[in-house]
Amino acid sequence: MIVTKVQNKSRELFRYREMFTGLVSREVRARYKGSALGFLWSLLNPLLMMVVYSLVFSVYMRINIPNYSLFLFCGLLPWTWFSTSITNATSTIVANGNLIKKVYFPLEILPLVNITTNLVNFLFSLPILLMFMAMVHVPLTMNLLFLPVLIAVQFLLTLGLSLILCTLNTFFRDIEQLLGPLLLAWFYLTPVIYPAKQIPAHFNFLFYANPMAPLMTSYQRIFFEGLPPSGAHLLACTLTGLALLLVGYAVFYAKKFTFAESV
């Protein structure tokens, strides 16, 4: 039943593809409009975070990883895409209340636009990562061909979670306020600034309960280690992403017809 609804909704979204691409284009242009550096901020923000974390964890706390800054950058870029997308998508229904009341369109477009806009920023940041790899003499390998797969899996995870959160936030505005500290805790529980092997064995359950943990490890493997992602990790992330998408769409569909009354 849910699968059939998702298929029908996919066809409807395709009919509104011009609206979708127009909104994404507008968001990309508007995000840094009026700032002196413009789009460069999408690169500078993760670079500045990398500098701070590199100083703290390779100088002060001394995590013993060669090319630690590169290791950090490999995880910060996809995490920034994820966290920014979740933050923006959670408030997207409330923020677009006037549009929802005036015009009919598939409301799923709104979280999709936020995720896709941040995906564009992520993709534009990848050349910086590749140049950084060349600077520190880390070779590019054929395992980088797994990148589109990782991006697709992360897109599923992010979209499913965004549908749930934007629905809940429409009726319970506290969700938006709680999201910041929750994402901060999630960040530190995910092996972005430290390798997964440093997680104590008796806390491994947190790694496997966290869908972003094996995904971040997979990014680190293809970029930093030149290895393919773990098949078990990739399968687990994919299944979790599909499950989240189905649950997210079911929650969103059940409440979408009352959004206009709540915003």
Side-chain angles (χ1 to χ4, degrees), residues 70 128-140 144 223:
L70 175 61
I128 305 297
L129 175 57
L130 298 178
M131 286 190 289
F132 196 17
M133 291 173 66
M135 288 170 57
V136 297
H137 308 293
V138 172
L140 305 179
L144 289 175
F223 283 111

Side-chain angles (χ1 to χ4, degrees), residues 153 157 211-215 218 232-242:
V153 172
L157 283 166
M212 291 302 292
L215 192 56
S218 298
H233 287 173
L234 200 54
L235 178 61
C237 290
T238 303
L239 293 176
T240 303
L242 289 171

